[in-house]
Every structure is written in structure tokens, then in C-alpha cells.
Amino acid sequence: MRSVERRRKTVIGASESSDGDTGLPKYVYLFEEGNASMRDLLGGKGAGLAEMTRLGLPVPPGFTITTKACNAYSRSGRFPPGLWKQVEEGMASIEAKTGKVLGDPANPLLVSVRSGAKFSMPGMMDSILNLGLNDVTVHALAALTKDERFVWDAYRRLLAMFGRIVKNIDGNKFGAVLERYKEQTPGKKDTDLTTDMLREIVAEFRSLYRSEVGEDFPQSPKEQLREAIAAVFRSWNGKRAVDYRTFNKIPHDLGTAANVQAMVFGNMGDDSGTGVAFTRNPSTGAKELYGEYLPNAQGEDVVAGIRTPMKIVELKESHPDLYVEFARAADVLERHYRDLQDIEFTIERGKLWVLQTRSGKRSARAAVKVAVDMATEGIISKQEGVLRVEPIHVVHLLLPQFDDRAKAAARREGRYLAKGLNASPGAASGYAAFDPDEAETMGRDEKKPAILVRVETSPDDVHGILHSKGVLTARGGATSHAAVVTRGLGIPCVTGCESILVDYDAGEFRVGDKVIRRGDFVSIDGSTGEVFEGRIPTLEPDFRKETDLQTLLEWADGERVLEVWANADYPRDAERAREFGAQGIGLDRTEHMFMETDRLDVVHEMILAAPEYRRVAAEIRALRQEMVSAREDKKPALAKRLSLLEPVLENLSRRYLGSLEKLEGLQREDFLGILRVMQGLPVIIRLIDPPLHEFLPKYETLLVHVTKLTLARGDPDVLVRTARSEEDQAFLAEVRSAGGGDLARGIEVLLPKKQRLLEAVAASRESNPMLGLRGCRLGIMFPEITEMQVRAIFEAACRLTREGIDVKPEVMIPLAGHANELRILREALEAEAKKVMEREGVQVAYKFGTMIEIPRAALTADEIARHAEFFSFGTNDLTQTTFGYSRDDAEGKFLLDYVKQGILPFNPFQVLDREGVGQLMRVCVQRGRKVRKDLEVGICGEHGGDPESIEFCHELGLNYVSCSPFRVPVARLAAAHAKLRHEIERTEDR
Ligand code: ADP
Ligand code: MG
Ligand code: MG
């Protein structure tokens, strides 16, 4: 047969685009006329069948009707002119090769009609097998095969498939009939049905068909064929297929191809069967045939789970010859396609037939292992290996997962509850919370991981989501609010878990007769959508053990141009970042160091004294100046005023400068830690950024506390009586401990303190803190604070240098908008740095630079670059200031709706907005580098860890991207992808 096909191929040629005889478009391609590159026209399945035919693999003969024919059908509702004639010619070709004829009462040909678009997608029509059987051919086939049982089995399958797929009869109705007969057999399996039973089933199916459709099952094989092909075409515009394409951004005008292929039969007894196998293990990536085989079965039986199939390796023992033959075919296919293949095959009376091949879907782990192994085996290049692994695979590999054994145990113990959509990957266990406030309170407590359970979520729930370990919703799909938000935050999530009934009032959810109450443990697997009762231990990812991933990332490092740095505030984060391969710290936020609880008192003291200190110091300066030129008679009054103020200043200075000094000591330790960890690599330290009042308690909380304390002065027990919420309890404890156990004393101690805080907070309140006194503005208004920070940095740097440790500190100013801001700060801070270095007798090489977070800074980058050796795009703020959104308000109130309605294509806080924010960045890089050629430019916003944004940074020619330590591996891969893809594009442009 093979030689026949070869000959035909040379006669017909592979690239005709019109039908020779008629000049009409060529709608039908014999398998030997197509090839793997023709996916657009022939669909994935058709192109695969053609390619396998060319390779000389045993493929039953057939042809593919093109996607163009489908599109023509969609437009007119009819087969386009010439199509049917070409189908008949195609049939003639199959008939010639098989020696059988469709509908021949002596030697009938049976075929399958199989749909197959360019991308495989759910919702497309199922394939129909055994077309060509009717009341006449069934007998002929029985005589020919001498296997009556097989023939009736095939006929009942055709009736059910045709009825369900072409005529939309509910498949359960056929299933019910079948079940009834299976029940009567001893083994209750389909293989136990006798020939007589199958004959009766056929009769019942036919009358079911008649009563559902209102006419008989078509006896004409051509009619069957025509209807099946039309049904494939119609399924392209079925609702499920359309929804799927819309969601996955697959164009609607691709159309699907239809394949018509001679049947081979796996249901002809025990030396027949059907199977599906991967050339490598799709879950671990191990190099072994992996799959299943079901003897005496047809088509979908393996996946449909009608009987338990055998493992493909078992075939090795039961049918060693077949196994070897299949293994050889699998190897040919994998080498030819140079990728892991997913293969369908059938064995008919001991002969192997290959029916489909495609690149196999694989787990993240398998993706990495297969890529590394194939490159090592020399099947693909290292670059290809790098490109084969998607950034999302790396994300998945580094997420916590359930311990497989623990999960299996939970299942055995009957703790499996339900399955929803795997909306955001990763596994989580925690206490069920049904209210976002409750989830927040729980989640703030390290020991109380929360799983937020909702019917669905809305922007009002975001604070609860933020503090949860996982989210479970009863409704909503892959683009629901919960799914979108959790994916963005990297929190595991299961949505659309329809079988759970959530009752907010009762604080519980039910699945069947099981009840999970508030505070009960639940476990969710966002990678699979499964939900369990109780706790399942998670395995924390361990990068050091991921040797394949490390190999792959080393190859990626060899390709990429962009460096990958990390955002880290603490030495332990910096350590992790280095472990993950970070080449520097792009953002060390010093204010986090202020927030540590043991420092908060010092910070409060500093902030409370600062404004007073500045006011009094200014007044004293003014008085002294006045003294110089004042008339003699005025001098005593001035002197008196001065002598009154000087002790005040002294006191304030003790509080303000004294607190700063204490902080300096603490910050020096912080910097020593991080610079030591990062020795040899740059560390960008950003000076204080948030408005000072962010370090103070909330105005509202203070107001409540002061009011309560005032009211309780006469009757301290009122505090005890009214303490209901956890917050009240915490406050009560605070008062008690302030009084050394005595409530009344506690009130007297605490009240004046809180009053002072309240006044200070009231005085520093801003109507728009995001745009208020923060960033470099703070350093200009309160230079003592930033000078203290710079001293701490350089003291640490000098000390380490003396120890022989190579340190590369870079001092970064936040939120500059005008070059003058930088000029002023730079002068003051460099003077401070110089003083320290002189005092310590050590020189440290450092850089001074700025964040770019304000459009004005980007636009005047040439001015700014005169005072900065480096730029770092703070794209969170830059996105806020460019759009004029405050992120929290926007994400909480309208931004997600904007995305849903298509007003914005995506959330610009997750994916960099290239047209707006990106344009500013481009201008900024150009203008900055014009003034300073070696200007170091990077990005430290969250976008620094987003693959698409990383690609854009590569295009802009940035020096590095900086992201959270956990994203570093992803960024290393994404940076390599950006570079390799651009190379490919460039060579394609040429
Ligand atoms: P899907 O796209 O859902 O995999 P397929 O077109 O591959 O659908 O067909 C469904 C099942 O029928 C598969 O198991 C396939 O191997 C089998 N099948 C399809 N065509 C034939 C044929 N000509 N002979 C035997 N089995 C077939
Ligand atoms: Mg298939
Ligand atoms: Mg910022």
C-alpha cells in the first residue's frame, strides 16, 4: 500500500490549490498530498495524518476537507460548488487503496469522519466512526469478517454516535438502553454483551432514533457521509466552540477541517484494541512510553473509561511484537516532530495503525525535563529548549503543591469534596472564612491561614483576598473577579465550584451531606480545581532541588541580554534572591525597616518631634539673625525669647535627632546585612518614600481610642463590659499592660499619649497622600531623615570594605519630578557620604540615582540625568501618575470593570501599558542616555516580573529588570525568550 501512495504523490504533487479538472478551489487533499506545515488549511489532525503518511507510518488511507470549505459552508449554509465531487473522488481513492467500496453489499468500506481545526478545542464535533454501515452492509461485513458480534457492536456504535452528534439526541438515552442490557450479563461489561443482545440493541436504537428525529436512520452511506461532514462544519459555530475561541483569543474565521478516513477496527476480538500513548511521561517528563491500551475496543473507549485499560508497558508482556512496533513508530514521530508526542493508535487483528499524533500537553515539571533532555540528547538545540518552556511553567514549579501521597490519602479517607475550575495555580490549606473582614483578621495572624469561601467575589472582597492563603468560589469562570485577582496576586484559587452550597448567614458551606463551618479546615488545589475537607500538607518548592530547571535557566542566562535583579528589603530576601540567580538588588525599601514593631516607638517619637523641631529651629535661626542687626533697646527682649526657646529646641532635638540617631544604628545593621549578602553585586537602596503619617496609627482608630479612654476615666470597667470584637480585646489588653495590670492607671498613662498622637496625625492628614508630602519631597523638608539614612549606608559600606568585602551601594531618590529636587538632595547627601568616608578613612565606589515615577521626570530625563547616574522605573507609581489612577481605588472600584468591558485591554498594574507608560519610558531612556551614555536604567515595579513587560524592557534596551525574589527564575527565562524571539523576528524580516 505504501508504494501505491508514494506513486500517487508524485503524480498529483503536493501543492495544487485548485482542482485540476474544473478550475474550482481545491477543497480535498488526500493524506499523501498534505504535510505538517499545512495546519491552516488542513487543521492539526489533518496535517498530522498527512505528515505521518509521508513518513511511511501505517495510517489508514483518507483525505482532508479544508478549512476553506468549512468557511464557505458557514457563509452559505451549503457545500460550495465542486466540493461533493472532490469528496467522491477522494472516496474513490480510498476505495482503490482498500479494495472496498462504500455501500457495496459484497465488500463494504467503512469510514470515520473526524473534525480537526488548527488548534484543538473543546466544543468541536466528536468524530463519527463506522459510517457506511446499514441493514445490508452489516450482513456483508459479518460474512466477510466471520465475526457477527463485532459487526453488530459497530452498528450500535454508529447509530448512537450519529444520533447524538448529527441529530443532537441526548446521548444518555442510548446509554440507558445499553446499561439495561449490560445489567443482564454476568460481568456487566460491554464486552459481555452477546451478539443477540447487540442485535436487539440496534433495533432499540433505531426506534429511539425514529421517535426522536421523526425519520429513519439514513440507510444511504453517501447520505450518512454528507450529513456527518455538514455537522462537522456546523460545529465550528456551536456555542461552546465560539465561547472557547473568544476566551482564548483564537480567531473565529479559521474554520475547521474534516477528515474522512478508512476505518480500522480495534473491536475485533482479543488480538485487537485501541490505545493512547505519550512518547514521554507527560507528568514527570521521564523518557518512557506512557499511556493506556484497551483490548477489544474502539475509538473513544479508552478515554471514556468504560473499562479499566491496561498500562502501555503491560503491552510489552502481553504483545511484545506489537509493543516493539509501536515503540518504533513513537520514536520516529518524536524525532521527526522533535517534541513530545501524544499518539492515538489501533490494533486490528495484530496489525498496528496510527491514527493521530500531536504535540503532547505536559505538566510544568515535564515541560522543563523534556526540554532539557531533548536538548541534551541533541534532538533540539539549547535555544529551542529554552523557548519550549513557558514562564508560567516556571511559576507553577515554584508554587507550593500538595504532597501527592497526602492527597491520595485524603481521597481514601473520603475527604474529597468537589471539583471546580483551576483558576489560579498552587495549593493551600486553611480555616474557612466566609466574610472578607474575617479572612483579613485571620490572615493577619501568621498562625491562622484563611481560605476565603464566597459564592463569588467582588471588588469589596479584595482586602479579604489579600490576606487569604486561597480563595474558593461557587460561581464564576476563568475570567471571574476571583480568578483574575488571585492570579495577579499569585494566590491559589478554585472558582465555579458549583456543587458547594454557600450559606453566609449560617457561616458554612455544604457538599451533599457534608458541612464545612466557619473555622473548619479546607484544602484547595488551584492547579487541579480539587477541594478537600481538612488539612493536606503542602510541599514548599525547593529551587535547589530543581536541577533540570537550573540547567535550563543557565542556558537562558547564556542567551539573555537583560540582567535580572530582585526587590528585597531584608538580608533573608536578598539571600533567597541570590539563590534564585539575582544579579543585584534593584529596590531595597528602607522604610520597611521603620515598620518593625520594636522600632515603631522610636519612629513615632521621631515623627512627632520633627515638625516642631523644624519650626523652633527656624525661629531660633531668625531670632539670632535679628539680634545681629537689632537696636540695642530691642536686644534684651530678643535675648529673653531666645533663652526661652533654646531649651525647647534642645528637648526637641533630643527627641528628633536622638530618635534619628537610634534609627541610624538600626539601619546600619540592616545595610550591613544586605550589603554583606550581596557582596560583589549592586544594591540599590531607596531612601524613605511614604508620607510620614503612614508610620502612625490610623486617624479613625486613634479617635475611637481617645474617646473610649476619655469615657472610661470614671468607670474603667466599661472597657471590659463593652469589649466584644477581637480589636476591642486587643485594646483592652493594651490599656491593662500600660497600667502594669491596673486598668485605671493604664487609662491615665495612655490617654495623653494617644491624644498627642491624634493631634499629630490630624495635623499631618492629607487629602491625597499619594500625591502629597512623600518621596524626595520628604527629604527636602526633613533633610535630617535622609542624611541619617545616607550616613547609615556609608558607615555600613565603609565597615564592610575594611573587612575586605566588595560592596556596591547605589543610593536612590524616590519620586523626583524636577531636576532641582535631585540637585539639592544630591549636594546634601553626597556631602554627608563624603564626611563618613573621610571619618572612616575608606573610599567606597557608589552611584547616585533616581526613580522615574512621574511623567514630568520621564519627559525631562535629559535634565534629570545630569544629576543621576542611574534611573529605575517605578512602574507602579508611574502607571498611577500616568493614568491618574490611585491603584487601590481603581482596582477596588472600576478598573476590573474597565477590563471586562474592553475599555482597557488589561489591568495596566499587571501588564505594562506600552502605548502610554511605555512611551514615556522610551522617551526617558532616549533623552537620559543622550546626556549620559552609560546611564544605568532598570525597572523595579511589579512589572519587572511579568514576562510580557520584560519583553518590552528588552526592546527598550534597559540594563536590568528587578522583581520579587520568587519571580527571578521566571524573569531569567522571560528575558531569554525576549532576546531569542527578537533574533528570530529579525532574521525573518530579512
Ligand atoms: P478526537 O479529536 O476527539 O481525538 P478523533 O477524530 O481522534 O477525535 O477520533 C476519536 C476516536 O476514534 C479516537 O480514538 C480515534 O483514534 C478513533 N478513530 C478515528 N478514526 C478512526 C478510524 N478511521 N479507524 C479507527 N479508529 C478511528
Ligand atoms: Mg483523537
Ligand atoms: Mg513609588
Side-chain angles (χ1 to χ4, degrees), residues 359-370:
S359 106
K361 292 220 162 47
R362 62 206 82 176
S363 72
R365 179 163 306 286
V368 172
K369 180 161 172 56
V370 169

Side-chain angles (χ1 to χ4, degrees), residues 45 60 111-115 125-127 129 261-266 274-276 298-301 303 344-346 355-356 358:
K45 198 179 285 171
V111 295
S112 62
V113 169
R114 318 170 64 188
S115 66
M125 198 194 84
D126 290 337
S127 299
L129 310 182
Q261 186 174 28
M263 282 303 300
V264 289
F265 300 102
T274 177
V276 191
Q298 194 176 51
E300 302 284 66
D301 291 358
V303 258
E344 284 176 9
F345 65 99
T346 279
L355 289 164
Q356 187 171 342
R358 56 187 154 191

Side-chain angles (χ1 to χ4, degrees), residues 394-408:
V394 181
V395 174
H396 280 211
L397 264 188
L398 297 175
L399 279 173
Q401 303 292 347
F402 285 137
D403 179 349
D404 277 343
R405 263 169 307 175
K407 194 154 114 176

